[in-house]
Structure formats: C-alpha cells, structure tokens
C-alpha cells in the first residue's frame, strides 16, 4: 500500500509571533520550526504503523522552499521512506492542494493523509481540495484508521459521539487527535534520514486564489472588572458606556 | 594555505595566549543533525520523564530502570559509542549537546549521566576487545545498566586510599573481592559495576568489571538524600565476590588513573548537564514572573526581579560559551591524535586529558552557576518557590549535589591550579615566562596601551589584564611558597577562582564576536550586554581574589607593588549595568523562555 503524507512546516508552539513588512509577513527571525503536529503525530505516524504492519511505502510531500528541508528530514527520521518537495512558497490553500494533487495523480497513491489543519494558518482547506482535485472521497477529522485489503475503516468525531465510516481506496483523509501517538525519532532514524531520497519537483503553474494582505495579533488580556452582585445599575451603566455592548 | 590553519590553544594555554574568535566553536554553529539529536533528547525528557517526576522521586519500582531502557531504545545511550560496539559514533561536542539536552531531567538525568559516563566509559576506554564486545553493545542499547564503584566510607576525595581488596583465588582462576563501596549511583538496578580495588598490598587501585550475577554482592537500602531522590544510590558490599580473571580492567594498579581520566570526562559533561538544567529553571522563572502579579503588575516588571532574571542569563550564557569552546578544543585534539594513528578510545582519553584543567573549570563553573540560577529561581517564585508543588523546590534540591560529586568543587579548584603548574613543570605550558614578564611590568612605568585587538578591543585588553593579575599572583605564590603552595589551599582557591572567571570571560567575548560576524550586531544586542556586564562585574571579583591571595603571603614593598599592579590590571570602564541588565531581562521576558 502506498501512502502519501502531506506535511507542513510550522512555528514551534512556544514561538513568539511577530510580523514584518507592514504586518504583511510573518517574522521568522529566531523562530524554531517543527512539522505541523497534526501532520506528524497523527497522519504520518499512523501511515508508518500501517506500513510496518502490512508493508508498503510512506512518501511525505511538502510545498515549500529549501529552508523547509530540515523539518522534512525530521519526518524521514521518524520513518518515512522518501520525501518530495514541490519547490514553491505559498500561503494559498488552493495553490498548495493543486501542487500536491498533481504529484499524487502522477504517482498513484492508495491513501493521501493530511493533518486536519496547520497550526499556523488553520485554513483546513487543503485535504478537501486535494480530494476534489483527485476526484477521491474525503474522510475528514478522522481519529482512527484501519485498512483491510482495499477497504478502510475510519472513525470520526461528531457532536456528542463518534461515527464509523468505511471507504474504498484510494481516498484522502484529514487526521485529528487520537489517530496515533507521537513518535520520537531515534538515533538510527536520524542518521538514516540523510541518505533517504528527498526529491525536489518544480511546481505546476497555478494561480493562487487568495492573498494575505495583513496580520494582526489578538489584543492582550484586558482587565477584568468586578461589580458587586447587588449593583445591577452600575453593571448596566458600564455595559452601556464603557464596554458599549448594549 | 598556512594562514587558514586553525590555531587552537593547548590545554591551559588560555592563561598566557589569546584566542581568535574564528577558532572557537559556539553553540549557534550546531548542524541540522546535531539539532535533531538534541530535539530527540528533549522530546524524550518532556514525554517520558516530566510526567513521571514525582513517581521517579518516590522511587517507584522499576521506573528509572525503564526510563534508561527507553533512552537506550532511542539510541540516546549510544550516541558517543563507536559504531563497531553498537553505538552511533558521534563526536565529543555532540556528546556534550546530548548531556545538555538531558540535563533538566532531574534524577533521571543523573541516572543517565552515570550510566553513559562513569558506567560505560571505563570499559570502553580501558577494556580489551573481548570486554568491549561483551559489554559495550548491551550498555549502548540500554539492555544493561552500569554503575561505577569508587567511593568508600573512608575514601571520598582521597580515592586512592580505598580499602577494597582483590586477591587471587586458591585455584588462580578468579579474583576474590572484599570491601564496601558507598554512594553508588544506579546501584539498585545496575547489571555491570566497574569496581576499584587494590590487589594484595598494592599502593594503587586496580579495576574490575563485576556483573550483578557474580556471587557475593549485596546492596544496602536506598540512601535518603536531600535531592536527586529518584536516582538509585546505595552501598554495595563485596563479600568474597568471585570475579573471573578476564574481568580485570586494564593493567594492575592503573585503576586510579582510570578513575581520574574518567572523571575528567565526567567533569566537562557535568558542565553540559547543568547547562540544560539552568535553561529550564530560567524558562520556568521568567514564565512565572510574567504570570504572577503583585501591586497590580506582573512581577517581571520590577527591577529587583529583572536583575535576577538577567543575571541568571548572563552566567548561563558565559558558562555555555566556555563549555562548547572547551568541548570543541577537546574534539579537535581527539581528531588530531586519531589522524596520527592513535585508536579512537585512546585519543578520546588523551584529548580530554590535554584539557583536564578546562574540564575542572567547567565542573566548578557549571555547578556554581546552576546553584545561583536555582537559588534565584526559588526567590523569583517567592512563597511558591518554597512549596513542593512548584518546580523550583526540586530544581533547588537537585542542583546541590553537582558541587559535590565528580570531585568536590574544592578538590577541582585545587586541581585547576595543580594541573596548570604540572604542565608548566613538564614544559608543556610556559607559565613562568609570562609571569616573569608581568613581574617586570610591575616595576616599570605603565605604558599607554594602544594595541588594537580588533572587535571589543577594550574588553579583550581587560581580560588580558585579568590574566596578568592571575599570573602575577600565581607566579609570586609559586616563588614565595615553593613546595608548600600545594598545602596553601586558601591561596589555591583564590587563584582557581581567578582562572575560572578569566576562562568564562574570554569565552563569552569570543562567542559574541563570532555571533556578530554570523548574525550582525542588531541580532545579538542582548548578548553584547551580557558580555559587557560579565566583564565589568568580574573585575571586582578578580581584584578581591587577587588581594586576598597577595595579602596572604606577601608583605612590605612586594605586597604594595602587587596590590598596585592588581589595581591597575583590574580597572575597567564604567558601565550602566542597570540599563544593560534591564535590556537583557526585557528580551527574556518578551520571549517568555530562555532565548540566548
């Protein structure tokens, strides 16, 4: 079985977020980058587990520049067999999905796995767009994946419970928490990562659908004002004139 | 080209020669693979160790042993082991980075360090091929755990006075060991012990590889300790313990040498481990000070707290600069010896031995920086710092042992001076030449010093003068006290303190210079501040150490002349240290974690 796992480079969760160029670009200075946790912990690790149990291969793919290669090698160190980098930089979900879909189309994979979203842009659009472009079924927000022959059984979180879905390969999924446990790359994996293939593929021509104009940080914590329980007039006055919400 | 050859200083030469920034290694130069290895260690600590800190300290059965095995599965225990013995053959600097990355794992860190260092290295460095093939792969993958039995109830710092005995069995096929060993880390679950004992009435120790399964080994109960409560520390008794002849490690009577050489590695590695602990404490401290509000503002807004945060960073940064500088020097020496045909293991030993003084410096400096950092960490947490619910309690208690084990800091201070003097006597290091020159300078009129030492020329001149202070004091002490100097421990401590500060100061300047070349001045403004504050601060310390030493052995004109010289050599330009520390703290507070 051939697995394609889409991975994305994201800032470490403890990074200090800042912007440059008139708030139009993310300031990468001093930021440590990691593999998007949804891609790594759930999608990649589950694909590796299935490969280890039933055979096959795991290819990781990312749309990015050379500076993305360290996080790709981390995915190789965890156990992926080979890596593909589509040599382009974009923040547009359609652009990224189209690049991945083109590669997937030409290399016929049984399962395309994505994390449910990236932790920096959170658009959550890439998995569905890939599925649409490949004309494959999508199982979103999957928390469990088992494969038997050409039939995959997945669980999804739904309001107040879970849903079991069956789907035939090939298909696309987006992975959510629970699908697998984080794996720490071991020394052997780290040393083998250097010699595994990392192929650079030029992008196909695609027009981005969106453009990010500017970013804004959420306003800091505001002060909490306490009003005595029996002073309702004061509360209404504050809501009217200070918070201006009623 | 001749000019591009690296001019690394020999061991101890930092005192009499200047280094170039391009010739020192700084941690900002770690490669991708090294960073990945470090990350694996950090992930291991955060996923496997941190959720179990309380259970580890309660000595939950099998827990630390399991954590050691887990580290073995990840390959962490074998990073520094040659590939032919099941390891990954990584270099010395990477070995130090691994130690740093595991350094905040509290008791588990101690268990890992003991296993990878004093547990494994005696066999790796001194074992014969059969011994290495038999034991090292199992120690490298964590299948077996190792311990090191040197200390006895009556012999701690004076290790060679141990009373454990080895005699040949009647049939001549085994050594029979009898004796008692104390403070043995990992004793509770170790499968292999390196045991030091004297054969018959030998003057010096020999070493033996003893397996848990050999008959005649018993263990006392776990010691009750102030800190590192989770690491197994027990007494080990050998009662007619039968050890096959082939398990003698190295030649007869070289045990003490093995012990000392292994401790050299342990010392610099301890410096690396405490560095990891320092960074963790600082990250916790700044995070807490940003969260905790008093008088309507986070306490990180107050100067008194900012001073502490900045000072924690300054000392940690200086220590780190010295650590990786020394580690790379050692690594280069190892490579040089290997290229001359020496075996890897022998080259490792000799490489570390060359920089034994620097190793001892790192042990003292590192453990005392961590003590400062942990102590102020408690203080920043205030009442919560004293609560066992918050992380500072454990950090504070666990820090303390570092000043005691791997040779107490007092022993190490004496060793620093002793090793430099020995090197001088052997002709490996010219101390007397420069010392005489400084003595001559004292008698002459101070000349205006317009020498240009490149970037940070003034600071480099300060450090050059601090070196002169140390040379003046040490040179005069040697001349005056001759053979009795080795007994004048107070003076030796003063000189050692000067040397430690000098090594750290020079390392921080060289690192910042290299950083500016790598990243540009704007990116490292706070590092420049750290360097400036460190050098400014240490001038008074050098002055005090020097004065105390001079007043302890000199009198009359000589005393006056040296005190005047000292005053001249420890003069530094005024610096607004309040503002400098404020800037360092501001950066830390903004990042909310150790970020230098």
């Amino acid at each position: 079985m051939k697995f394609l796992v889409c991975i994305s480079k994201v800032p470490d969760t403890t990074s200090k977020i800042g912007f440059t160029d008139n708030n139009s670009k993310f300031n990468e200075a001093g930021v440590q980058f990691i593999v998007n946790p949804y891609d790594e912990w759930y999608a990649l690790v589950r694909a590796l587990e299935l490969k280890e149990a039933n055979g096959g291969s795991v290819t990781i793919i990312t749309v990015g520049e050379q500076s993305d290669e360290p996080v790709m090698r981390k995915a190789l160190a965890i156990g992926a067999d080979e890596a593909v980098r589509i040599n382009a930089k974009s923040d547009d979900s359609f652009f990224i999905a189209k690049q991945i879909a083109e590669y997937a189309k030409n290399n016929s994979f049984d399962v395309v796995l994505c994390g449910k979203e990236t932790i920096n842009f959170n658009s959550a659009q890439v998995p569905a767009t890939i599925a649409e472009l490949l004309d494959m079924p999508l199982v979103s927000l999957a928390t469990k994946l088992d494969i038997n022959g050409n039939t995959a059984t997945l669980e999804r979180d739904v309001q107040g419970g879970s849903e079991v879905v069956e789907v035939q390969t090939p298909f696309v999924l987006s992975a959510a928490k629970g699908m697998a446990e984080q794996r720490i790359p071991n020394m052997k994996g780290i040393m083998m990562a250097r010699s595994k293939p990392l192929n650079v593929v030029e992008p196909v021509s695609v027009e981005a659908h969106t453009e990010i104009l500017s970013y804004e940080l959420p306003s800091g914590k505001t002060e909490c004002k306490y009003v005595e329980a029996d002073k309702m007039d004061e509360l209404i006055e504050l809501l009217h004139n200070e918070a201006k919400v009623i | 080209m001749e000019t591009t050859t690296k001019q690394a200083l020999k061991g101890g030469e930092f005192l009499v020669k200047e280094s170039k920034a391009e010739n020192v290694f700084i941690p900002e130069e770690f490669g991708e693979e090294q960073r990945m290895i470090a990350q694996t260690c950090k992930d291991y600590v955060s996923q496997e160790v941190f959720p179990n800190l309380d259970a580890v300290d309660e000595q939950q059965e099998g827990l630390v042993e399991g954590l050691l095995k887990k580290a073995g599965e990840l390959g962490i225990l074998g990073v520094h082991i040659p590939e032919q013995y099941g390891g990954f053959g990584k270099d010395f600097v990477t070995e130090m980075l691994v130690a740093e990355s595991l350094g905040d794992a509290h008791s588990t860190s101690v268990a890992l360090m003991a296993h990878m260092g004093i547990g494994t290295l005696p066999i790796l460095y001194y074992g014969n091929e059969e011994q290495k093939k038999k034991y090292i792969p199992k120690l490298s993958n964590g299948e077996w755990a190792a311990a090191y039995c040197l200390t006895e109830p009556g012999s701690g710092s004076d290790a060679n006075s141990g009373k454990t005995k080895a005699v040949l069995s009647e049939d001549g096929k085994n050594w029979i060991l009898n004796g008692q060993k104390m403070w043995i880390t990992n004793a509770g679950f170790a499968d292999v012990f390196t045991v030091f004992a004297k054969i018959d009435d030998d003057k010096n120790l020999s070493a033996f590889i003893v397996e848990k399964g050999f008959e005649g080994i018993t263990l006392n109960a776990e010691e009750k300790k102030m800190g590192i409560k989770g690491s197994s520390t027990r007494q080990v008794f050998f009662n007619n313990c039968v050890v096959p002849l082939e398990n003698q490690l190295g030649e007869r009577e070289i045990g003490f040498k093995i012990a000392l050489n292994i401790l050299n590695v342990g010392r610099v590695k301890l410096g690396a481990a405490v560095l990891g602990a320092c960074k963790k404490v600082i990250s916790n401290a700044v995070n807490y000070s940003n969260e905790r509000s008093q008088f309507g503002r986070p306490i990180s807004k107050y100067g008194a707290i900012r001073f502490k945060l900045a000072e924690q960073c300054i000392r940690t940064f200086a220590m780190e600069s010295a650590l990786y500088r020394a580690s790379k020097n050692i690594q280069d020496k190892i490579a040089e010896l290997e290229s001359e045909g020496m075996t890897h293991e022998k080259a490792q030993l000799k490489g570390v031995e060359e920089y034994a003084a620097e190793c001892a410096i790192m042990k003292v400096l590192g453990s005392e920086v961590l003590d400062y950092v942990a102590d102020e960490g408690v203080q920043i947490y205030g009442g919560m710092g004293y609560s066992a619910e918050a992380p500072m309690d454990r950090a504070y208690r666990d820090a303390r042992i570092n000043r005691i084990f791997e040779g107490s800091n007092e022993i190490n201070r004496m060793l620093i001076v002793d090793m430099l003097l020995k090197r001088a006597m052997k002709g490996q290091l010219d101390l007397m030449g420069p010392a005489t020159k400084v003595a001559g300078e004292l008698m002459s009129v101070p000349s205006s010093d317009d020498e240009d030492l490149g970037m940070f020329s003034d600071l480099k001149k300060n450090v050059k003068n601090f070196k002169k202070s140390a040379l003046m004091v040490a040179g005069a002490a040697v001349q005056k006290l001759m053979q009795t100097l080795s007994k004048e421990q107070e003076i030796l401590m003063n000189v050692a303190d000067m040397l430690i500060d000098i090594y750290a100061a020079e390392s921080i300047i060289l690192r910042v210079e290299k950083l500016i070349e790598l990243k540009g001045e704007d990116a490292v403004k706070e590092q420049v501040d750290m360097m400036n504050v460190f050098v400014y601060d240490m001038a008074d310390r050098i002055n005090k150490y020097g004065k105390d030493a001079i007043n302890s052995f000199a009198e009359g004109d000589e005393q006056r002349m040296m005190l005047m010289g000292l005053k001249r050599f420890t003069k530094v330009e005024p610096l607004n240290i309040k503002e400098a520390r404020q800037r360092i703290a501001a950066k830390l507070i903004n990042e909310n974690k150790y970020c230098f």
Side-chain angles (χ1 to χ4, degrees):
Chain A
M1 186 144 291
K2 281 177 74 180
F3 298 94
L4 180 68
V5 182
C6 309
I7 68 162
S8 187
K9 179 183 91 168
V10 298
D12 180 82
T13 46
T14 61
S15 301
K16 193 83 196 166
I17 304 298
F19 307 108
T20 59
D21 290 13
N22 222 358
N23 285 340
S24 68
K25 283 202 173 68
F26 174 58
N27 183 4
E28 297 196 355
V31 171
Q32 195 190 345
F33 287 97
I34 58 171
V35 183
N36 180 41
Y38 291 108
D39 305 343
E40 178 193 320
W41 300 355
Y42 310 127
L44 173 61
V45 175
R46 188 59 191 146
L48 292 171
E49 287 169 352
L50 290 169
K51 180 199 99 166
E52 283 153 10
N54 310 318
S57 68
V58 175
T59 302
I60 57 145
I61 186 166
T62 198
V63 180
E65 296 173 307
Q66 199 176 358
S67 59
D68 289 21
E69 289 185 3
V71 300
M72 298 177 73
R73 272 188 285 274
K74 163 111 192 260
L76 291 171
I78 294 171
D81 300 292
E82 63 171 336
V84 175
R85 177 168 69 82
I86 311 288
N87 190 21
K89 182 177 166 64
S90 174
D91 300 327
D92 178 62
S93 301
F94 179 77
F95 180 94
I96 290 168
K98 177 76 178 164
Q99 300 298 340
I100 294 172
E102 280 300 314
Y103 181 84
K105 203 182 286 172
N106 299 328
N107 293 277
S108 56
F109 291 93
D110 300 292
V111 189
V112 179
L113 301 95
C114 308
K116 69 168 178 150
E117 62 188 338
T118 55
I119 60 166
N120 50 351
F121 288 106
N122 308 79
S123 85
Q125 291 183 45
V126 171
T129 315
I130 293 173
E132 177 62 24
L133 291 168
L134 291 175
D135 197 20
M136 283 184 194
L138 168 79
V139 182
S140 63
L141 306 174
T143 56
K144 214 172 158 189
L145 165 68
D146 283 300
I147 298 180
N148 192 356
N150 293 329
T151 308
T153 312
L154 297 101
E155 261 182 50
R156 311 177 61 239
D157 278 345
V158 290
Q159 185 102 42
S162 66
E163 177 183 88
V164 179
V165 181
E166 204 174 86
V167 65
Q168 297 296 307
T169 59
F171 68 97
V172 181
L173 72 81
S174 75
K177 189 178 173 183
M179 186 176 270
E181 297 263 327
Q182 184 184 359
R183 256 190 207 186
I184 304 172
N186 60 31
M187 276 300 295
K188 207 172 156 193
I190 291 171
M191 289 181 71
M192 278 165 64
R194 272 183 311 182
S195 52
K196 287 179 177 173
L198 194 161
N199 305 312
V200 180
V201 177
E202 287 310 312
V204 292
S205 168
V206 181
E207 205 167 316
H209 286 188
T210 57
E211 182 194 351
I212 292 169
L213 299 178
S214 72
Y215 296 102
E216 197 180 324
L217 284 175
S219 54
K221 274 185 224 165
T222 46
E223 207 186 333
C224 184
K225 215 169 240 184
Y226 291 92
V227 180
E228 300 279 337
D230 53 358
K231 291 186 177 158
M232 278 303 123
D233 291 348
E234 190 187 334
L235 175 66
I236 289 162
E237 148 77 17
L238 286 169
L239 289 172
H240 260 302
N241 298 324
E242 203 175 302
K244 297 193 169 98
V245 290
I246 54 173
Chain B
M1 254 168 64
E2 188 62 30
T3 48
T4 57
T5 316
K6 276 187 81 174
Q7 295 294 321
L9 296 187
K10 287 194 253 170
E13 259 187 354
F14 73 88
L15 182 56
V16 290
K17 284 189 181 167
E18 271 61 63
S19 287
K20 286 210 164 74
E22 69 213 47
N23 290 339
V24 298
F25 176 81
I26 62 172
E28 288 79 5
E29 295 178 288
F30 282 127
E32 182 187 316
E33 189 181 83
Q34 287 172 313
R35 288 174 199 278
M36 220 191 272
I37 294 170
Q39 192 57 48
T40 280
C41 296
K42 286 178 190 160
D43 286 349
Y44 160 81
V45 173
S46 62
Q47 286 179 41
E48 305 289 339
V49 181
F50 284 165
N52 291 310
L53 286 176
D54 286 333
V56 165
D57 274 3
E58 285 156 18
Q59 298 218 329
Q60 198 182 90
E61 185 71 25
L63 185 54
V64 172
E65 196 182 352
L67 287 168
L68 199 78
K69 283 203 180 345
K70 180 79 197 174
E73 286 163 22
L74 287 170
I76 292 171
L77 304 179
V79 169
H80 61 308
I81 305 288
E83 286 172 278
Q84 72 260 39
Y85 304 117
F88 298 93
K90 293 294 159 201
D91 58 30
F92 195 77
V93 170
T94 310
E95 187 180 347
M96 294 305 119
L97 178 61
V98 166
E100 181 199 327
S101 309
L102 299 168
D104 57 0
H106 293 281
S107 296
T108 308
S109 171
V110 174
L112 293 166
M113 290 304 138
H115 172 87
M116 296 160 80
I118 54 180
T120 304
L121 296 184
I123 304 177
L124 179 65
Y125 290 164
Y126 289 96
N128 57 37
E129 200 53 32
E130 288 72 39
Q131 290 168 337
K132 285 196 265 190
K133 280 201 175 117
K134 181 170 179 192
Y135 294 105
I136 300 297
K138 287 196 170 86
L139 298 175
S140 170
N141 67 18
E143 198 181 326
W144 279 3
Y148 173 90
C149 305
L150 176 64
T151 301
E152 298 183 9
S155 82
S157 295
D158 182 11
N160 206 28
S161 70
K163 290 190 172 57
T164 300
K165 281 258 175 266
V167 294
L168 215 50
S169 63
E170 277 177 21
D171 61 6
K173 287 181 183 162
N174 297 290
W175 291 111
I176 307 296
L177 260 57
N178 277 289
Q180 177 185 5
K181 294 289 179 180
M182 201 173 182
W183 307 125
I184 306 308
T185 304
N186 291 350
F189 53 81
D191 302 279
V192 188
F193 301 82
T194 299
V195 183
F196 295 90
K198 283 176 182 160
I199 297 175
D200 299 332
D201 293 319
D202 283 355
K203 201 167 142 260
N204 294 306
L205 296 167
S206 300
F208 303 87
I209 306 169
V210 179
E211 294 179 24
K212 180 164 71 177
F214 294 172
E215 56 186 279
I217 304 178
T218 47
L219 302 175
N220 246 12
E222 288 289 344
E223 301 286 352
K224 299 208 182 312
K225 293 169 295 189
M226 174 193 284
I228 56 164
K229 289 172 182 286
S231 90
S232 169
T233 312
R234 295 186 178 205
Q235 291 197 36
V236 182
F237 297 89
F238 300 94
N239 274 318
N240 292 324
C241 174
V242 183
V243 181
L245 286 190
E246 63 264 27
N247 274 35
Q248 184 183 328
L249 183 63
E251 290 155 34
R252 185 167 173 167
E253 285 203 88
I254 68 152
F256 189 52
K257 198 176 150 203
I258 297 180
L260 292 186
N261 279 330
I262 296 302
L263 286 176
N264 283 338
V265 186
R267 285 173 187 146
V268 63
K269 218 166 172 177
L270 183 143
V274 293
L275 172 62
C278 285
K279 290 180 179 177
K280 178 75 181 175
V281 170
I282 295 172
S283 291
N284 280 335
V286 67
N287 185 267
Y288 184 81
S289 66
N290 277 336
E291 296 283 320
R292 170 75 176 166
S293 272
Q294 283 295 282
F295 306 105
R297 307 196 295 168
I299 61 170
S300 62
K301 298 260 188 223
Y302 296 105
I305 298 293
R306 288 182 160 221
F307 175 96
K308 294 179 197 301
L309 292 169
E311 198 54 30
Q312 286 177 316
C313 292
I314 294 165
R315 296 189 193 195
T316 300
F317 187 76
M319 189 249 287
E320 182 181 51
S321 310
L323 171 76
Y324 286 109
R325 174 190 180 195
S327 305
K328 184 61 164 47
N329 282 342
I330 292 171
Q331 179 173 308
D332 290 343
K333 184 74 190 171
I334 292 168
E336 181 195 316
L337 293 169
E338 276 188 276
S339 74
E340 288 166 6
M342 203 179 266
T343 64
H344 175 72
E345 289 80 358
K346 187 118 194 260
Q348 285 262 341
L349 275 176
K350 287 281 161 200
V352 176
E353 205 184 328
E354 170 76 27
Y355 294 95
E358 283 83 351
C359 292
I361 286 176
M362 286 325 304
K363 196 278 170 178
V364 177
L365 176 64
S367 59
E368 293 184 3
V369 168
L370 175 60
D371 251 14
Y372 173 84
V373 168
D375 184 71
E376 291 290 40
V378 172
Q379 200 66 18
I380 290 166
Y381 267 66
M384 278 314 285
Y386 208 69
S387 161
E389 303 289 315
M392 286 304 159
D393 156 69
R394 182 179 280 115
Y396 184 75
R397 284 185 288 99
D398 288 359
R400 192 61 182 80
I401 186 63
N402 290 293
R403 281 166 55 196
I404 300 169
F405 62 15
E406 301 277 351
S408 72
N409 282 15
E410 291 67 34
I411 288 284
N412 270 289
R413 280 191 162 85
M414 289 188 284
L415 277 174
I416 295 167
V417 183
D418 184 54
M419 286 188 278
L420 290 188
L421 291 179
K422 274 200 183 121
R423 288 183 73 83
M425 277 193 286
K426 282 186 197 161
Q428 295 164 323
L429 176 67
D430 179 19
L431 281 185
M432 278 335 265
T436 315
K437 216 173 134 200
V438 177
E441 203 177 314
L442 288 180
M443 318 244 212
S444 60
V445 188
S447 58
S448 67
D449 184 5
D450 46 14
E451 186 188 6
D452 181 15
L453 297 175
M455 199 188 287
F456 306 128
S457 187
D458 286 348
L459 289 184
K460 286 176 185 166
K461 277 180 203 162
N462 290 148
V463 172
K464 240 179 138 173
N465 282 334
F466 298 155
K467 291 181 185 179
K468 285 181 184 172
S469 309
L471 282 165
M472 175 183 76
V473 172
V478 168
Q479 255 182 354
K480 186 107 184 170
L481 304 166
M482 308 290 278
Q483 265 71 14
T484 58
L485 177 60
S486 62
K487 294 195 176 61
E488 297 283 359
Q489 297 195 341
E490 296 92 330
I491 296 173
L492 293 174
M493 301 279 151
N494 290 147
V495 175
D497 282 331
M498 295 171 98
L499 298 179
I500 295 166
D501 254 345
I502 288 166
Y503 191 66
E506 188 173 67
S507 303
I508 196 172
I509 295 171
L510 293 167
R511 178 177 180 188
V512 174
E513 183 179 348
K514 199 168 193 185
L515 267 177
I516 288 179
E517 278 156 17
L518 282 177
K519 300 186 171 182
E521 205 158 345
D522 273 357
V524 294
K525 281 185 282 204
E526 292 78 14
Q527 283 87 338
V528 173
D529 280 327
M530 291 201 271
M531 169 187 71
N532 286 331
V533 175
F534 192 88
V535 174
Y536 170 90
D537 253 6
M538 77 177 273
D540 283 344
R541 292 199 296 266
I542 295 282
N543 189 282
K544 167 85 172 133
Y545 302 140
K547 212 158 55 181
D548 287 354
I550 292 165
N551 293 339
S552 304
F553 68 81
E555 49 193 22
D557 283 349
E558 190 196 19
Q559 182 187 29
R560 270 195 299 278
M561 199 167 60
M562 281 203 283
L563 288 175
M564 272 168 61
L566 189 67
K567 203 171 164 190
R568 196 197 322 161
F569 294 146
T570 54
K571 205 173 147 223
V572 290
E573 288 298 310
L575 173 74
N576 188 338
I577 48 158
K578 189 200 86 171
E579 289 301 324
R581 283 205 184 87
Q582 281 278 350
R583 289 189 291 267
I584 298 161
K587 169 87 174 171
L588 180 77
I589 288 161
N590 185 43
E591 295 287 329
N592 202 29
K593 64 182 176 190
Y594 185 81
C595 55
F596 300 109

